[in-house]
Amino acid sequence: MRISTKCSSAIHILLMIALLPDNRRSTSEFLAGSVGCNPVEVRRLLSDLRQAGMIQVARGTGGATLIKDARDITLLDIYHAVDPKSLDELIGVHSHPLQQCPFGRNIAE
């Protein structure tokens, strides 16, 4: 099992948004050039990150900015924002824990 490239691309994008100087707009075309992918892919990731409450995207002129403090964004938050369907594959739970054990019966919760 491995983490999808969507997650690493989203991390790359968030780092750029957080660390670029204020006078440099984080447009999808600019971000795509650094990430090495199509601007459409970046726009999809930006949409996912926006829906997760991490960024805002300016309409018209473009450019994304963080609306959540970067110190409060975890790798799990990013992963969940861009690839929520495969989250169960990231952290697998063993299938037969002992139900009489206080730890085993609660491990899947």
Side-chain angles (χ1 to χ4, degrees):
M1 197 289 309
R2 65 186 270 208
I3 295 175
S4 76
T5 57
K6 290 191 323 184
C7 187
S8 62
S9 295
I11 293 166
H12 186 143
I13 288 166
L14 285 170
L15 284 168
M16 288 187 67
I17 292 170
L19 299 174
L20 280 174
D22 290 337
N23 64 344
R24 182 66 174 120
R25 287 186 308 143
S26 303
T27 64
S28 58
E29 290 79 15
F30 176 72
L31 295 168
S34 180
V35 174
C37 66
N38 189 300
V40 172
E41 293 176 57
V42 170
R43 284 192 283 277
R44 286 186 191 127
L45 291 171
L46 290 172
S47 176
D48 292 339
L49 296 169
R50 183 187 56 75
Q51 289 177 13
M54 295 179 205
I55 64 168
Q56 65 183 9
V57 180
R59 298 264 187 230
T61 60
T65 54
L66 287 182
I67 57 173
K68 188 173 183 179
D69 190 313
R71 292 173 290 223
D72 295 332
I73 300 173
T74 67
L75 292 175
L76 184 59
D77 293 336
I78 298 166
Y79 187 82
H80 188 21
V82 300
D83 209 1
K85 291 180 181 161
S86 65
L87 188 58
D88 291 338
E89 296 172 18
L90 177 64
I91 304 171
V93 176
H94 49 288
S95 56
H96 302 294
L98 182 65
Q99 293 304 300
Q100 292 77 19
C101 171
F103 304 103
R105 73 173 161 257
N106 291 302
I107 195 74
E109 293 181 4

